[in-house]
Amino acid sequence: MLRRLRSPRSAVPAVIVAVLAASGVAYGIADAASDDRDDRAAATTSSTTTTSSTTATSSTTTTAAPTTTTTAVPVDDGVLERGDSGEPVAAVQRRLAELHFDPGPADGRFGTGTLYAVQGFQKLAGMAPDGKVGPAVLEALADPPFPAPLVPNGEPTRVEVDKARQLLFLYVDGGLRLITHVSTGSDEEYCAGGRCGHRAHTPEGGFRFMWRYSGWRESRLGKLYNPVYFTGSGVAVHGSTSVPTYPASHGCVRIPMHIAEYFPSLVARGDAVYVLSGPGDDPGVPPSNEPASPPPSDPPTSPDSTTTTTSTTSTTSTTAPPEATTTTSTTAPLPIS
């Protein structure tokens, strides 16, 4: 467990009290020496003053001593969270990687990548995805749930998207390669380009990966990083700087940016994609043929509007992604889809 040290807040006041008490004693001694030259009554008063100072010193010393002995007491709150660092964090990162999540490098720094990986594991384990590693999460990491395939008879290399748990599973040659936290369509209606009634829906069923673009692709509702499309209407798996724990996109499947850096290299054109409403759902069989046409100039996450957009698309290849589309727009990009 990460241990934090609480600052000894009471130590500073105790030091001040001790200094003031010591000053009082010195003042009393000087005053007594001066009074010896006066008459007996004055000497009696001086004696009384000295006695009072001695009493105050004794009381102050008794009070300050136990306060200063409580400094720098380590406090263990039993929780690792974003911003923490150290070997306990690195151990959690290594364990998440063993379980096919990607927290980023096991550098002992609890950053965004680790946060997303923890949230993904919590969703797999049926926990609230708060992104914090407490005793319950540590116990689950030690004895993790088995991620049963959503499509047991699916193709050996495939992607499964679980909309109920907001998780994506990638299988390569029959083996589980990656589990990641995602955010799919919110299923809310929205307006764009002066038209309303569009629904932010991620379609369910069996699909195949088609076209892809390298880097950022700008659309009228936002940007998509390294998108890999799996529907003819333009729904894609793509990187986003915003991947909340709930469905929030306009239809695409958002994944964390650090995973989007390499995700396209793990999937090929024609690989199966199964999108399910949840475990037990039957997504059907992916189509046997891919659409022969190029990708749409704008995905459904960015419906047509009055904005002028010019696109130039190169011919796709079955072995390499096409050249990036060059897009110019007269409006600033909107939030990411």
Side-chain angles (χ1 to χ4, degrees):
M1 282 296 100
L2 179 69
R3 298 172 91 59
R4 298 188 177 86
L5 298 181
R6 288 183 177 168
S7 300
R9 299 180 180 175
S10 59
V12 174
V15 171
I16 295 175
V17 172
V19 171
L20 290 177
S23 300
V25 173
Y27 182 85
I29 293 174
D31 190 48
S34 175
D35 289 343
D36 285 341
R37 293 193 297 271
D38 297 331
D39 56 16
R40 182 178 301 277
T44 301
T45 302
S46 175
S47 175
T48 302
T49 301
T50 302
T51 301
S52 175
S53 297
T54 302
T55 302
T57 301
S58 175
S59 174
T60 302
T61 302
T62 302
T63 302
T67 302
T68 56
T69 59
T70 60
T71 58
V73 177
V75 176
D76 188 354
D77 59 10
V79 176
L80 295 173
E81 56 188 301
R82 187 173 186 176
D84 287 341
S85 62
E87 176 54 30
V89 175
V92 169
Q93 291 170 328
R94 290 191 292 269
R95 182 56 175 158
L96 287 168
E98 292 172 355
L99 299 176
H100 308 291
F101 292 89
D102 182 2
D107 56 6
R109 299 178 182 178
F110 202 127
T112 303
T114 302
L115 173 70
Y116 283 149
V118 170
Q119 289 175 334
F121 176 78
Q122 288 174 317
K123 289 191 284 188
L124 180 67
M127 301 177 174
D130 61 4
K132 298 180 180 181
V133 181
V137 173
L138 288 173
E139 182 178 350
L141 285 169
D143 185 19
F146 175 73
L150 298 176
V151 189
N153 299 321
E155 298 183 13
T157 297
R158 66 185 185 277
V159 164
E160 299 176 348
V161 178
D162 184 345
K163 292 172 60 175
R165 293 182 292 179
Q166 293 292 282
L167 290 172
L168 180 150
F169 303 84
L170 169 62
Y171 291 85
V172 177
D173 295 330
L176 182 59
R177 171 65 175 78
L178 174 70
I179 307 174
T180 182
H181 152 74
V182 301
S183 179
T184 59
S186 66
D187 278 325
E188 297 179 356
E189 289 191 357
Y190 63 92
C191 300
R195 295 182 301 175
C196 296
H198 304 289
R199 191 159 69 100
H201 180 66
T202 303
E204 298 156 11
F207 308 93
R208 294 193 184 277
F209 282 120
M210 304 173 185
W211 317 284
R212 62 183 66 201
Y213 289 87
S214 296
W216 287 103
R217 190 184 186 205
E218 188 170 327
S219 69
R220 295 184 184 89
L221 287 184
K223 294 183 177 180
L224 300 80
Y225 185 68
N226 283 349
V228 187
Y229 295 92
F230 61 88
T231 75
S233 58
V235 177
V237 176
H238 69 83
S240 173
T241 57
S242 174
V243 189
T245 57
Y246 51 87
S249 81
H250 290 87
C252 287
V253 179
R254 299 182 188 177
I255 59 176
M257 288 292 292
H258 71 289
I259 294 177
E261 290 286 355
Y262 62 84
F263 180 82
S265 69
L266 300 179
V267 297
R269 180 167 179 161
D271 284 348
V273 181
Y274 301 92
V275 181
L276 303 88
S277 60
D281 186 22
D282 182 7
V285 179
S288 57
N289 298 319
E290 305 172 46
S293 60
S297 60
D298 242 357
T301 54
S302 49
D304 293 336
S305 68
T306 56
T307 301
T308 301
T309 302
T310 304
S311 299
T312 302
T313 306
S314 63
T315 303
T316 59
S317 169
T318 58
T319 58
E323 295 294 328
T325 296
T326 301
T327 304
T328 57
S329 176
T330 59
T331 59
L334 297 173
I336 290 174
S337 300

